[in-house]
Amino acid sequence: MGRYQRTLLLVRLALVSIAIIAAPADLYAARPSRPTAVAISDMKSVAGRWSGILYGRPGGQRGQDWIEVAIHEDGTYTLASARPIGVFEGSGKVRLADGRLTSEGEKARLTFTLYQRDGKRFLRIDGTMASGQPLQADLHPAR
């Protein structure tokens, strides 16, 4: 191996090493920050329309259950979930406890937690249906 070939090999190794070190730094920089839970102080702070995708509904397919929830200042809420086979609608009342909203009915038990990520708010609903089926939705303010 001549001097030119050794120099070329060293340059290639140096470039590969730099790429290996620099690539993960770029990947970490592109990652969204972790969401931070924010205590809900009153109903007024989350009143309004929220929408997103609902996961875990029996018979539902990932990404096909769109849900919209309207939370009112008096603690009542209405929801509608559009699916390829039709619309599911419901309503109820939430109560504020420990910085979260909770609702319990015949069909499901739900917890609403407010989060913030990169300056934007979203409402995560974690729930369990009466059958034991888990539910989850990340809802963003509807426009």
Side-chain angles (χ1 to χ4, degrees), residues 81-130:
S81 177
R83 302 177 72 186
I85 61 169
V87 175
F88 169 78
E89 296 178 319
S91 61
K93 187 157 179 88
V94 291
R95 71 180 187 87
L96 179 59
D98 301 322
R100 298 172 186 216
L101 302 178
T102 58
S103 177
E104 192 165 337
E106 288 180 21
K107 296 181 181 181
R109 182 179 321 144
L110 305 172
T111 302
F112 299 70
T113 307
L114 184 63
Y115 284 90
Q116 188 163 355
R117 178 185 354 204
D118 299 328
K120 295 181 180 178
R121 300 179 334 146
F122 69 93
L123 197 58
R124 176 166 289 160
I125 300 176
D126 290 298
T128 306
M129 296 190 65

Side-chain angles (χ1 to χ4, degrees), residues 45-69:
S45 66
V46 291
R49 289 181 25 236
W50 298 80
S51 60
I53 297 174
L54 174 66
Y55 298 98
R57 227 167 93 211
Q61 294 180 6
R62 185 173 179 92
Q64 289 192 356
D65 288 356
W66 185 259
I67 186 170
E68 186 168 299
V69 177

